[in-house]
Every structure is written in structure tokens, then in C-alpha cells.
Amino acid sequence: MIQQLAAGIDIGGTNTAYGLVDREGNILMKDTITTGNFSTAEEFVSAMEIVIRKALSSLGSSYSLAGIGIGAPNGNYYKGTIEFPPNLKWKGITPLAKYFEEKFDVKTVLTNDANAGAIGEMLFGGAKNMKDFIYITLGTGLGSGIVVNGELVYGHDGFAGELGHVVMFPDGRVCGCGRYGCLEAYCSATGIKRTYIEKRWRKEKMNDGLKDIHTKDIYDKAVAGDEDALSAFEYTGEILGFALANSVLYTSPEAIFLFGGVALAGDFIFKPTIASFEKYLYPIFKGKIKILSSKLMENEAAVLGAASLIWKELDKKSVSSNPILKSVL
Amino acid sequence: MIQQLAAGIDIGGTNTAYGLVDREGNILMKDTITTGNFSTAEEFVSAMEIVIRKALSSLGSSYSLAGIGIGAPNGNYYKGTIEFPPNLKWKGITPLAKYFEEKFDVKTVLTNDANAGAIGEMLFGGAKNMKDFIYITLGTGLGSGIVVNGELVYGHDGFAGELGHVVMFPDGRVCGCGRYGCLEAYCSATGIKRTYIEKRWRKEKMNDGLKDIHTKDIYDKAVAGDEDALSAFEYTGEILGFALANSVLYTSPEAIFLFGGVALAGDFIFKPTIASFEKYLYPIFKGKIKILSSKLMENEAAVLGAASLIWKELDKKSVSSNPILKSVL
């Protein structure tokens, strides 16, 4: 029997990760290519065709491609386009899903990486039996995917779920988006780094050599008991918990999942986040909502999330493409 | 032919409005009873049975009751219960939908009044062709209903969409919920009154006779050019616009509808709200999202919204109770 596989592609500014994933979430192969090597999207898609077809044939003749799922910055689910991505060479609006469908003749679904991650968490991670949850990625920025009643919220234009740009402090830190005080300017790898540098500067007017510090270095310092590193995590968690408490008022989720570099700091980030979350929570929600660590592996989540877009889509399709159903709907 | 009607019941702390509504949103009769006259929910339901049956029979024999929709404070859609309502005599958890179903033997659906209003707006008001919108009631408090992909967001526990309790300022005004700086402490009839009184006090240490001032009085003063009244509307709109810009990041709605006493102030509230909204909006949403006045009449919306719960529910049921559909789903 031929087994179906989904290709999962996660496009980042530096690298693109891709892999082949079965219906149970097993990754049969994965690899990366350098996104920046391709100055046009067409060249990129041609290269992807070669590597995916090669990977597929290397698995033998018992597999076929069910579809392609893509997580991409500024990905628009409805249109299958990438629109004005800040960190890619392909400017303007790129109809990437169409390009892939033309090459492979299979269904291609595209959305942003955090939305893909949320669906990955729902199909293969900690949200398996949940219908309402929020998924937060704490990477360079803060991404999010919101699931309501078992479906991802795409919104009117396909761009829903941008919690990283909720303005927490109208006169706060400048954000990459050009506005001030956005959540991701505080709660992200970049945010915690800014907090740490600010703390060092306030204390000893010291910021030499801190420009290139990483979240991992701040984590190591926290483990070693460094006061400024510990307080940088505290501060980040306080703001994140406050923001998440507000977010509960919109969709009343069963749980909120944290994923990504900052979430890997464990108790250093979870403890202050949960304390602040419970403090700011509206009374009817107190004690009801879990803040959990993503159950997906850091090095697999991107490919798994992207591939899960296809499995989720085919689940829907198995209802709506049924001829009996179609005739009565 | 027998025509089906839905009973719409809107339970408030003071009065309960009820009426009979057809599938096209025509209100065939409506009236009110005094909620406070009934010390138990059972007595209330018995009284409602009498008035609704009387109303129905007075319309003649060509009508039958399709179901009952109820908008109520702290109404839980999933359980059909009212849970710990602050302004009703019935304490604890009341299984009100069950009581009505026992008396009338028809489907009864219950949720909070703002959610009912949102569905009313979707079936019979300005959101007729919209799948994604937010509905805000600016009454004594600030209520909200969020619609995503054509369905109301109830959330994990039935209590989603409480935007009135988003904390805007952690050290802000005390709110009725016991916390500080909630949106409804600023943007509601009570909120604008507090703002006006604060402005008078800061200016002239004058607050005599202001305790009982109404939003309508502040509106009249604004019309007459009173500086403090005008600036109270400005301030309310600035905060509301800021909060609504943040709310767009969750569900990316096509429009946001404002309903209720404060919304009736027209340009006095809409102008500063829209200006602040556009100022704080995340760039990809700028110029895309309409802030609109509810198209439902102030004195009809509560009954129409409650009744529309039934029409919405029967729309769903006509799919899921279909035997052919059931066999394939």
C-alpha cells in the first residue's frame, strides 16, 4: 500500500528547513537549505522541487506526496502568498503556494510559522485533545497562533493572531514594526537581551561587549545566580504574564503553550510568567487555565508544524469533498 | 401554514424584556416584566411561561414556538446556566435553560447579553454579510461578543469575549470586578461619568451634584460646547480606540460595531475613537477595519439579539440533524 506523506517547509530569513512527515507525525527525513542563496522565489521553488523529489524517491516507491505545508513570515493563508516579508529577498507579494502547486500538482497550504506551530501542537503535541488554546513562540520576535473550537483563527484578511504587536506601553520601547511598547519588544529573545543590557547600564553604566550577548548567555548567567540575569527573566515573565492574562479575555483558552528559545529557560521564565498571569487574571478564569511548555521538540517543530497544515486541511476536506455531503450542504 | 417564532428574553438586574420574533427579524410583540419581583428563578420562569403563552395565543393559531433565546448576565452557553450574577437575586448557579425547556418543551439557548447582541447584529443588523467582527456594548459596563468565521467565540468554558476587563492600566481606576484599570472603568456610561467628574474636580474642586449625572447629561453639555464634557468624550475615545487597535491583533475582524448609550453620542465618541484606533493600529491593518455604529435599534436589540440565538442555533441544526449528513459525518 502506498503511504501518504506531507512535505513541511519552514522558510526563515537565513535557512529553510524542510522534511517529509507521515500522518502520525513521524519525520521520515529533514534537512535545510540556505534561503538567501535564491534571489527570486521562482529559483527557490525550483531548488525545493529538486530536493523534495530526491528525498521522496530515496524513501523508495511506497510513498506518495499528499500535499505541501509552508510556514513563512507574513504568510497569508487565504491567498497562499507571502506579503512584504521584512527578512526575505523576495519583495512585495509572492504567490508561493501557487508556484509549489504548479511544480508538484498537490495541495499547498501556507501560513505564518506561529500558526503552523499551533496546528503542529494540536495534531502532534500537547494540545492533542484541546479545542481552544493559544500558542506563543518566543524567538527573535513573539509569534502566536490562536485556536478556537478546533480551528485556527485566520481572521478577515488571514493575518489574525499577531499578539507580539499588542501595545503594552504606548510610550515604551521602540519595536521593529516602527511603533512603541509592543509585547515582543519585551518578551522575546531580543526583548530579554534589551532588558538585561538596560539593567547592566542602569547599575554600572556597563554595556561593553553586551551587544552580541545571546539569550543562552543570559540563561547561563541566571543558572550561575547572576542577579541581573535573574531579574531580566523576572521582568520578562511579569510582562508576559500580564499580556497573557489579558489575552484570555478574548478567547478563553484551556491552555497557553510557550515555545522557542526563551521558553527553554524553564522555571526562570515560567515561574514569573505564571505568577503574574494569575495575579492579573479576571476572577472567573483564576486557576482554570494552564501555561504549558510546548511538547514539540525545538529542532522538529518547524517542519512538523508546516506539514501538519496539510493533515489538518485534508481532515477538513474529507468532509467537504464527500459527494453525499456536498449534495446536502 | 404554521409560522415559527422565537421568544427572545433579555434578563437585566431591573427589568426583563421579552418578545416574539420571526425568522426575518420582525418583532411581533414585546413587553417587559420586573426581574426583581421574583425572589427565585423558578418563580420567574413560571411568570414568564404565563406571559409568553398569553402573547403567543393572542397572535392567533397560525404561530408556533421554535425555541427560546436568553441573554443574561454571566450566562454560560455550554451549560445553559447563569453563574454568580452580581445584580440578580438568584445567587449561585441557576440552570435557567433547563427550567425553560421543562416548561415549554422547546430548545432554549442562553448566553450573555453582549454575545446575544453580536448574533443579532450578524443575522439582522450591520454584520449581515460578515464572518469576522467584534461587537461592543457601551452600557453601564463594557460588554463584547467576538465572531470568528461566522461563529461566536464561546471559548473553553463559555465565558470568552470579556473585553471590558482587559487591564489597560495596572495602577488605574478601581473596577467593579475588584481589579484595577479595566477597560470598562474608562469606556462605559459609568466610565465617562467618572472621567467627567474627575475633570471637574481637577479644575475647580467641583463635584457637587455630579454624583447622579447621566451620560445623557454629559452628551447634552458636549452639544452645548462644554469643554469638560467634550474632553471627557475625547479621553474615553482615545482609550477605546487604543484598546480596539490591540483587539484587532487577536481576530483580525472586518469591522467593530459599537452599541449602547455611549455609542449614541455619535461623532463625540466615534471621532476620537477612530483617530486613536488608526494611530495605534499595527501597520498591516491600517485603513482596512471599519468602526461602525450598530444597525439595531436601541429599544429592540436586546429582544432581537436573544431571539436570534435560536435562529442561529436552528441554522446549525438543520445541517447536523440531517440524517444523510449524520451518517457521513
Side-chain angles (χ1 to χ4, degrees):
Chain A
M1 204 187 116
I2 299 289
Q3 202 194 334
Q4 300 246 290
L5 297 178
I9 301 173
D10 182 70
I11 301 175
T14 312
N15 289 312
T16 291
Y18 65 97
L20 293 169
V21 179
D22 71 14
R23 189 64 194 83
E24 282 68 48
N26 302 303
I27 300 177
L28 277 68
M29 68 71 54
K30 70 182 173 66
D31 205 346
T32 58
I33 62 171
T34 306
T35 318
N37 283 351
F38 308 97
S39 53
T40 69
E42 287 88 340
E43 287 172 32
F44 169 79
V45 177
S46 294
M48 287 304 301
E49 188 189 10
I50 294 168
V51 293
I52 289 175
R53 287 204 188 280
K54 201 172 141 191
L56 202 60
S57 68
S58 75
L59 292 174
S61 59
S62 55
Y63 296 97
S64 78
L65 196 63
I68 299 167
I70 305 173
N74 292 26
N76 186 314
Y77 171 79
Y78 295 126
K79 299 182 186 161
T81 49
I82 296 182
E83 305 194 3
F84 308 99
N87 303 315
L88 296 182
K89 283 187 182 166
W90 326 323
K91 300 302 171 197
I93 299 177
T94 304
L96 201 72
K98 199 185 97 200
Y99 289 168
F100 273 95
E101 288 185 341
E102 284 168 1
K103 292 277 186 202
F104 286 91
D105 198 27
V106 293
K107 177 79 185 166
T108 301
V109 179
L110 183 155
T111 186
N112 75 46
D113 52 343
N115 286 346
I119 294 186
E121 199 72 39
M122 180 161 54
L123 296 193
F124 306 120
K128 261 182 191 169
N129 298 310
M130 294 186 187
K131 297 187 82 177
D132 298 274
F133 68 93
I134 297 177
Y135 174 87
I136 304 277
T137 65
L138 297 164
T140 311
L142 186 152
S144 61
I146 303 173
V147 171
V148 165
N149 211 13
E151 297 295 333
L152 204 107
V153 177
Y154 290 107
H156 168 238
D157 59 356
F159 290 119
E162 285 286 355
L163 304 205
H165 295 283
V166 167
V167 173
M168 303 300 294
F169 312 104
D171 300 317
R173 290 180 185 167
V174 67
C175 177
C177 74
R179 301 178 312 147
Y180 297 90
C182 291
L183 181 60
E184 79 167 25
Y186 298 85
C187 302
S188 63
T190 321
I192 196 167
K193 188 174 135 177
R194 286 169 82 170
T195 299
Y196 180 76
I197 293 174
E198 269 183 30
K199 285 193 187 287
R200 293 295 300 149
W201 179 254
R202 275 172 202 268
K203 207 164 167 183
E204 304 179 36
K205 302 277 178 273
M206 279 280 290
N207 69 359
D208 274 9
L210 290 181
K211 207 170 72 67
D212 298 319
I213 197 168
H214 285 94
T215 313
K216 178 67 171 65
D217 304 322
I218 301 172
Y219 171 75
D220 290 340
K221 284 175 191 286
V223 171
D226 178 279
E227 208 180 278
D228 296 316
L230 287 166
S231 105
F233 275 108
E234 280 280 339
Y235 182 74
T236 307
E238 267 170 37
I239 295 174
L240 183 59
F242 173 37
L244 296 181
N246 272 347
S247 77
V248 163
L249 295 155
Y250 291 82
T251 60
S252 182
E254 180 175 349
I256 299 172
F257 290 88
L258 305 185
F259 174 83
V262 179
L264 292 178
D267 275 358
F268 290 120
I269 188 71
F270 275 85
K271 270 195 177 172
T273 301
I274 291 170
S276 169
F277 180 71
E278 288 292 336
K279 175 182 161 197
Y280 284 109
L281 212 51
Y282 185 50
I284 55 166
F285 297 117
K286 271 190 204 293
K288 273 190 196 173
I289 299 154
K290 298 173 284 250
I291 296 197
L292 301 171
S293 181
S294 165
K295 282 272 186 304
L296 298 186
M297 307 272 286
E298 186 76 10
N299 63 343
E300 296 190 349
V303 162
L304 208 52
S308 68
L309 291 169
I310 280 300
W311 298 131
K312 174 76 179 154
E313 202 71 14
L314 294 179
D315 282 352
K316 284 192 231 173
K317 227 180 154 181
S318 70
V319 173
S320 69
S321 70
N322 183 307
I324 303 177
L325 259 170
K326 256 198 171 162
S327 71
V328 292
L329 278 171
Chain B
M1 205 188 112
I2 299 288
Q3 202 194 335
Q4 301 246 291
L5 297 179
I9 302 175
D10 181 71
I11 301 175
T14 313
N15 290 312
T16 291
Y18 65 97
L20 294 168
V21 179
D22 70 15
R23 190 62 193 84
E24 281 68 48
N26 301 304
I27 299 176
L28 277 69
M29 68 74 51
K30 69 182 173 71
D31 205 346
T32 59
I33 63 171
T34 308
T35 318
N37 283 352
F38 309 97
S39 53
T40 69
E42 287 88 340
E43 286 172 33
F44 169 79
V45 177
S46 295
M48 286 306 300
E49 187 187 11
I50 294 168
V51 295
I52 289 175
R53 287 204 188 282
K54 202 172 141 190
L56 202 60
S57 69
S58 76
L59 292 174
S61 58
S62 54
Y63 295 97
S64 78
L65 195 62
I68 299 169
I70 305 173
N74 292 28
N76 186 314
Y77 171 78
Y78 295 125
K79 300 181 184 162
T81 50
I82 296 182
E83 306 194 4
F84 309 100
N87 303 318
L88 297 182
K89 283 186 183 168
W90 327 324
K91 301 302 171 197
I93 298 178
T94 304
L96 201 72
K98 197 184 96 194
Y99 290 167
F100 273 95
E101 288 185 342
E102 283 167 2
K103 292 278 187 203
F104 286 92
D105 199 27
V106 293
K107 177 78 186 165
T108 302
V109 179
L110 183 154
T111 187
N112 75 46
D113 51 343
N115 285 346
I119 294 186
E121 198 73 40
M122 181 162 52
L123 295 193
F124 305 120
K128 260 181 192 170
N129 297 311
M130 293 186 188
K131 299 189 82 177
D132 298 275
F133 68 93
I134 297 176
Y135 174 87
I136 303 278
T137 65
L138 298 164
T140 311
L142 184 151
S144 62
I146 303 173
V147 172
V148 166
N149 211 11
E151 297 296 333
L152 204 106
V153 177
Y154 289 108
H156 168 238
D157 60 355
F159 289 120
E162 284 288 356
L163 304 205
H165 295 283
V166 167
V167 173
M168 303 300 293
F169 312 105
D171 301 315
R173 291 180 184 169
V174 68
C175 177
C177 74
R179 301 179 311 147
Y180 298 89
C182 292
L183 181 60
E184 80 168 23
Y186 298 84
C187 302
S188 63
T190 321
I192 197 167
K193 189 174 133 177
R194 286 169 83 171
T195 300
Y196 180 76
I197 293 174
E198 270 182 31
K199 286 194 185 287
R200 293 294 301 148
W201 178 254
R202 276 172 199 267
K203 205 164 172 181
E204 301 180 38
K205 301 278 175 274
M206 281 279 289
N207 69 358
D208 275 8
L210 290 181
K211 208 171 72 70
D212 299 318
I213 196 168
H214 284 93
T215 312
K216 178 68 169 67
D217 303 322
I218 302 172
Y219 171 75
D220 289 340
K221 284 175 191 288
V223 171
D226 178 278
E227 208 180 278
D228 296 317
L230 287 166
S231 105
F233 275 108
E234 280 279 339
Y235 182 74
T236 307
E238 267 170 38
I239 295 175
L240 183 59
F242 174 36
L244 296 181
N246 272 346
S247 77
V248 164
L249 294 157
Y250 291 84
T251 60
S252 181
E254 180 174 351
I256 298 172
F257 290 89
L258 305 184
F259 174 82
V262 179
L264 292 177
D267 275 356
F268 290 120
I269 188 71
F270 275 85
K271 268 196 178 172
T273 300
I274 291 170
S276 169
F277 179 72
E278 288 291 336
K279 175 181 160 196
Y280 284 109
L281 212 50
Y282 186 49
I284 55 169
F285 297 117
K286 272 190 202 295
K288 275 190 194 174
I289 299 153
K290 298 171 282 246
I291 296 196
L292 301 171
S293 183
S294 166
K295 283 271 187 305
L296 299 184
M297 306 272 287
E298 187 76 10
N299 64 343
E300 296 190 349
V303 162
L304 207 53
S308 68
L309 290 169
I310 281 299
W311 297 131
K312 174 74 179 157
E313 202 72 13
L314 294 179
D315 281 351
K316 283 192 231 173
K317 228 181 153 181
S318 70
V319 172
S320 68
S321 70
N322 183 306
I324 303 177
L325 260 171
K326 255 195 171 165
S327 71
V328 290
L329 278 171

